[in-house]
Amino acid sequence: MTARYSFGGDEHVFVEVSEEMSLGAFFKSLSLCRALKESAIRGVTEICPANASLQVKFNPDVIAPDDLLAEIEALEAATATVDPTLQTRIVEIPVLYDDPWTRETLMRFRERHQYPSGTDLDYAARINGYSDAASFIAAHAGSPWFVSMVGFVAGLPFMYQMVERARQIEVPKYLRPRTDTPKLTVGHGGCFGCIYSVRGAGGYQMFGITPMPIYDPRQEIGYLKELMTFFRPGDIVKFKSVTREGYEEAVRDVEAGRFEPLIRPVTFDLRSFERDPVATNTDIEGVLHGH
């Protein structure tokens, strides 16, 4: 795949690796980001990776736009052979599906929804071919998710479901965005899952809520003291369905400073995943629980 380049104003170069999201496109984008960081091109001030693209911010008083473009194109040619392995981490995220807070919120905005007679879970189950919301929840939590981008609002992860394309959950966004979304809502729009890091407007379908903070601007939470945002591109997420009691216990642990997310280092191999996604996912989840 050949990247497409364009300028964004006077200080940005946008590099589109692919028009569609795939793990292959993400890996190429990640490789180019690494090459840019390692090359330390004078005048480059920020490199922002996305799902299948990246944006480079630069100081035009230090490097001319065309000169920077030539540098990036040379790096792309040099990284044509993408390393298919990634040293990353897998994290378990507890989720209370069909919780009372997102349910109350979604019912306030049914006039903006494609399926006003049911919940977001009901709608997602129906259009993805599942018999009911419970079956859909089992599928949502049944396979890991790959964090391909962090942003839009601080700390919000965009997650790509690690199953073959034909099995990926796809759900349109609301017909018109909501003016409210509970903090830490687990949502979905198009082919991407997300976790809303803060309360605010949104248009993704709402499936549940996690007790695990993923953004702490005050950096008071133990596992967020070094960096106020939890996720980074390349993280692998495994959702764990919990009961209301389990959710409330986790909330108490967070408030008391006792909560620690379950995180394990893992090696992800794109070639192995493309050959056998089920076996690769089983191996990755085994690492999470020490199997």
Side-chain angles (χ1 to χ4, degrees):
M1 61 186 77
T2 302
R4 182 174 68 87
Y5 296 83
S6 58
F7 288 109
D10 297 328
E11 299 180 342
H12 297 88
V13 174
F14 177 68
V15 186
E16 184 181 48
V17 170
S18 173
E19 291 185 352
E20 65 177 12
M21 174 59 199
S22 68
L23 286 179
F26 169 79
F27 266 71
K28 179 170 181 179
S29 173
L30 188 64
S31 294
L32 189 50
C33 283
R34 286 173 174 168
L36 276 164
K37 290 177 182 177
E38 291 169 1
S39 64
I41 299 171
R42 188 169 172 268
V44 170
T45 58
E46 189 174 357
I47 303 164
C48 182
N51 299 314
S53 61
L54 61 140
Q55 186 161 282
V56 183
K57 185 177 182 181
F58 65 97
N59 184 342
D61 293 330
V62 176
I63 184 169
D66 288 339
D67 292 341
L68 176 59
L69 186 60
E71 293 268 14
I72 300 174
E73 288 176 332
L75 288 172
E76 183 198 358
T79 57
T81 302
V82 176
D83 184 354
T85 60
L86 177 66
Q87 302 300 319
T88 184
R89 58 183 185 167
I90 181 170
V91 55
E92 185 175 80
I93 305 290
V95 181
L96 176 60
Y97 288 95
D98 197 19
D99 65 282
W101 304 282
T102 59
R103 177 180 277 265
E104 184 277 331
T105 302
L106 65 86
M107 294 309 294
R108 284 193 278 123
F109 295 98
R110 291 332 275 167
E111 81 284 355
R112 304 179 182 218
H113 199 275
Q114 298 91 332
Y115 189 53
S117 61
T119 67
D120 293 5
L121 280 167
D122 294 333
Y123 174 62
R126 184 168 66 88
I127 68 169
N128 282 277
Y130 292 95
S131 58
D132 52 30
S135 300
F136 177 82
I137 290 169
H140 188 271
S143 59
W145 298 70
F146 199 95
V147 176
S148 57
M149 173 181 166
V150 180
F152 186 71
V153 296
L156 184 149
F158 287 82
M159 297 175 288
Y160 184 76
Q161 192 180 24
M162 293 170 58
V163 294
E164 54 269 29
R165 188 176 292 270
R167 290 180 52 216
Q168 284 178 350
I169 292 169
E170 294 190 20
V171 193
K173 295 189 288 186
Y174 274 46
L175 295 175
R176 288 185 294 135
R178 300 176 304 274
T179 56
D180 190 22
T181 309
K183 179 181 177 181
L184 298 178
T185 289
V186 175
H188 197 98
C191 70
F192 287 107
C194 82
I195 302 174
Y196 284 78
S197 54
V198 297
R199 182 178 182 180
Y204 278 22
Q205 308 290 334
M206 297 184 288
F207 297 159
I209 198 164
T210 177
M212 177 182 155
I214 60 172
Y215 171 58
D216 179 16
R218 296 183 178 181
Q219 294 179 258
E220 296 173 343
I221 297 171
Y223 59 90
L224 294 173
K225 284 186 176 179
E226 291 187 8
L227 190 64
M228 67 179 68
T229 59
F230 178 77
F231 287 107
R232 52 188 183 236
D235 280 346
I236 297 174
V237 170
K238 184 64 169 63
F239 293 118
K240 178 185 178 182
S241 180
V242 297
T243 63
R244 176 69 180 269
E245 292 74 21
Y247 171 85
E248 291 177 347
E249 180 182 359
V251 168
R252 289 193 295 270
D253 286 344
V254 169
E255 292 173 347
R258 296 189 300 263
F259 184 88
E260 287 294 334
L262 179 58
I263 305 171
R264 296 287 185 269
V266 68
T267 301
F268 177 79
D269 191 310
L270 180 62
R271 296 164 302 184
S272 297
F273 178 80
E274 290 176 336
R275 283 195 301 267
D276 192 340
V278 174
T280 302
N281 289 347
T282 299
D283 290 343
I284 289 172
E285 291 173 40
V287 170
L288 184 62
H289 295 286
H291 297 162

